[in-house]
Amino acid sequence: MKDNAYFDNAATTWPKPESVYQFMDSFFRSHGVNPGRSGSLLAIEAEQMITATRRMLADFFGHSGSADRVIFTLNGTDALNAGIAGLVTAGDHLVTTRLEHNAVLRTTNHLERDARLNVTRVAAQADGYVLAEDIKAALRPETRVIVLNHASNVIGTVQPLEEVAQIARDAGVHLIVDAAQTAGVLPIDMDELGISVLTFPGHKGLFGPMGIGGMIVAESVDLAPQRFGGTGVDSLSTYQPDAYPYHLEAGTVSVPGIAGLHAAQLWFRELGRELQRGEEGERSGDAAEMKNRALDAGPATDHGSLCRLAMHHVHQVELSHLARIEAKLREYESVTILAKARSDARVATLSFTVEGLSTERVADQLDADHQICARAGLQCAPLVHVDAGTVEAGGTIRLSPGYFTDEEDMQQLLMALDDILG
C-alpha cells in the first residue's frame, strides 16, 4: 500500500512531470535574477524564458495575437479578480452561474455589495449543466460581462462554452472563461470562440507549481489595472504603463513559477510528439537540455497542435480512471453521486454522499485507514451544495484521479471503498 494514494487532482495535480521539478530547480539556480530590470545577460536570458512561455501559452490556448497579452498572476483566483474588476464599472450587469467557484462568487458578491455591479446567477439543471438559453434569457441592455465556469470543480460537468460564446458575440458582451478545471485537459481556442479573457491556474491541469497563474486578454479588450507598481520600463511615468503585459503586471514576476509552466508546456509538446509517433509515456529530457531550449528562439510552430493531441490523451486516461471509480460507487445503494455528468462533457471529477455516514467520517477513514487523499466539504463552491441540498450534511466527498494515477493507486482506492461502504 502506498503511503499516499492521491485522488485530489481537482485541487492540485500531483505529482508533476519530473521535468518540471528538474527545470524549476536548475533554472532558478542559474537564472534566479530579476528579469527585465537590467541589461545583464542573466536578466536578459531570464526574460527570454518568460517571453517564450508567454508564446507557448498563447499557442496552447489558441490566441494568435501578441504574446504580451498573456499575463502572469498569483493564481487563477487572482486572475479572475483582475479580469472581472478590470472590465466592469458602476451600474454594469454581469451574468454568471451558480456553479461558480468562490473565486468568481466572492469577487462578484463584493462588487455587488459595493454598488459597482448588478449580478444574475443562472442555475444549472438537475444533471449539472447550465442551459445556454437560460444565460441568454438573463441578458439585459446593461449587461457587460458573462463569466462562465468551464467545468465544475465539484461535479465535473463541462458547460456549453461554444454556445455561450456565440451568445456573447451576438449580444456584444465580454466573455470571461474560468478554465481552472479544463486548462491542460480540454482544448480551448480563444480566437475561434471570441473569448475576451481566459483565466487559468498553473498548479492544476497545466502541471505547473502553486503560486503561479495567468490570464490571456484578447487584443480587442482593455482591462483597467487593479495593481500598480514597478515594471522595469517607463519608470519616469507616475502611472501604470498602457503597454501589455506591464499594464497588468506590477512588481517582480515569479521566475520559478513561470519556469515550471515553461517546462510543463515542453512536456505537453513532447508527449504530443510521442503520441504522434505512436509512442506513449514521458520523455522528460535533462535539465540542461531544457534550459537550452528555454533560451533559444522559442516554441515550435506546431506547439498548439501537439499539445492538443497530448491533452486529448491526458483527458482519456483520466476519464478511464473515473469510470472505474464511478462503477464501484454505483455498486452501493447507500451512495448518491451528485448530478449526471455525461461522458462527452465532463472532466475526471465526481462528488458523492453516503447515507448514514458523514462526509467527514468517510474522508477521515479514507485518509487514516487507507492513505487515500480525497476532498470532503463544500469545495469552495457553496451554491452547488445549496442547490443539491448537501450543505447540512457537510457537503460531499470528491474524488478526482489524475494523469499520473497508476494501477496501485486505483486498487488502493477501490479496496478502501469496499471496506468503508461494504
Side-chain angles (χ1 to χ4, degrees):
M1 182 162 46
K2 286 188 176 183
D3 291 339
N4 291 289
Y6 187 73
F7 286 89
D8 196 18
N9 287 277
T12 293
T13 54
W14 184 78
K16 311 297 183 184
E18 184 60 30
S19 54
V20 172
Y21 300 124
Q22 290 180 5
F23 185 65
M24 285 181 67
D25 177 73
S26 174
F27 197 86
F28 193 40
R29 288 177 187 276
S30 64
H31 289 77
V33 299
N34 208 318
R37 300 302 198 272
S38 77
S40 70
L41 179 61
L42 283 180
I44 291 170
E45 289 182 340
E47 185 67 27
Q48 285 174 346
M49 182 276 291
I50 293 170
T51 299
T53 308
R54 293 189 206 272
R55 289 176 185 153
M56 285 192 289
L57 287 168
D59 203 8
F60 192 86
F61 289 112
H63 169 70
S64 63
S66 171
D68 289 341
R69 288 279 172 156
V70 178
I71 309 299
F72 292 115
T73 61
L74 300 175
N75 44 49
T77 295
D78 188 43
L80 282 162
N81 272 260
I84 294 169
L87 271 181
V88 301
T89 56
D92 284 342
H93 177 244
L94 178 147
V95 176
T96 186
T97 80
R98 292 178 63 85
L99 295 175
E100 305 301 316
H101 187 278
N102 272 335
V104 171
L105 180 61
R106 286 178 174 170
T107 301
T108 53
N109 280 349
H110 276 271
L111 291 171
E112 189 175 35
R113 184 191 66 184
D114 297 341
R116 287 182 56 192
L117 190 64
N118 299 307
V119 182
T120 299
R121 299 175 182 85
V122 177
Q125 303 295 296
D127 60 1
Y129 294 93
V130 173
L131 297 179
E133 60 198 60
D134 289 344
I135 290 179
K136 183 176 182 179
L139 298 179
R140 303 176 188 171
E142 66 272 23
T143 303
R144 180 164 174 78
V145 182
I146 298 170
V147 181
L148 183 70
N149 182 348
H150 193 193
S152 168
N153 70 305
V154 179
I155 52 181
T157 51
V158 175
Q159 303 310 314
L161 175 57
E162 292 79 6
E163 295 176 53
V164 174
Q166 183 65 56
I167 288 168
R169 291 196 303 271
D170 291 345
V173 303
H174 293 296
L175 174 62
I176 299 176
V177 177
D178 174 7
Q181 297 298 318
T182 55
V185 178
L186 296 176
I188 300 173
D189 192 318
M190 279 193 67
D191 288 353
E192 181 179 326
L193 296 172
I195 295 169
S196 296
V197 179
L198 178 77
T199 69
F200 55 86
H203 64 102
K204 297 181 191 280
L206 290 178
F207 291 121
M210 301 170 185
I212 188 71
M215 60 181 171
I216 304 180
V217 183
E219 296 278 355
S220 60
V221 176
D222 190 30
L223 294 185
Q226 304 302 304
R227 287 200 179 92
F228 312 94
T231 57
V233 300
D234 197 17
S235 292
L236 278 176
S237 173
T238 54
Y239 295 94
Q240 202 68 11
D242 292 331
Y244 283 72
Y246 315 108
H247 188 60
L248 299 175
E249 286 181 0
T252 302
V253 295
S254 172
V255 172
I258 296 170
L261 284 178
H262 185 101
Q265 284 290 293
L266 294 179
W267 177 85
F268 272 107
R269 187 199 299 173
E270 291 301 319
L271 177 59
R273 283 182 176 145
E274 289 165 9
L275 292 166
Q276 199 172 57
R277 293 194 299 262
E279 304 169 4
E280 293 183 9
E282 175 186 354
R283 197 192 81 184
S284 61
D286 60 29
E289 179 188 357
M290 295 191 68
K291 190 189 304 178
N292 289 335
R293 281 189 251 165
L295 302 178
D296 68 13
T301 55
D302 61 349
H303 180 76
S305 59
L306 288 171
C307 288
R308 285 189 288 276
L309 185 61
M311 278 187 275
H312 177 75
H313 175 67
V314 167
H315 190 207
Q316 293 307 306
V317 169
E318 293 180 346
L319 288 182
S320 69
H321 295 320
L322 191 74
R324 294 174 64 188
I325 296 169
E326 185 167 357
K328 172 58 68 177
L329 290 172
R330 292 195 183 282
E331 292 178 7
Y332 295 95
E333 293 183 0
S334 59
V335 170
T336 299
I337 299 174
L338 264 66
K340 296 179 180 178
R342 307 189 310 267
S343 60
D344 65 327
R346 76 181 306 176
V347 292
T349 296
L350 63 75
S351 287
F352 67 98
T353 57
V354 182
E355 185 180 359
L357 295 176
S358 70
T359 56
E360 278 194 16
R361 177 177 171 182
V362 174
D364 287 347
Q365 284 187 264
L366 285 169
D367 183 25
D369 298 341
H370 302 279
Q371 289 72 58
I372 303 289
C373 298
R375 173 77 180 271
L378 302 181
Q379 295 92 24
C380 297
L383 296 185
V384 176
H385 295 277
V386 170
D387 293 347
T390 53
V391 173
E392 291 185 5
T396 59
I397 305 101
R398 184 183 70 187
L399 293 171
S400 49
Y403 180 68
F404 292 108
T405 300
D406 61 23
E407 185 58 29
E408 189 175 356
D409 294 317
M410 289 297 300
Q411 289 300 325
Q412 197 161 322
L413 175 63
L414 297 177
M415 288 189 290
L417 292 174
D418 276 334
D419 181 61
I420 297 168
L421 304 174

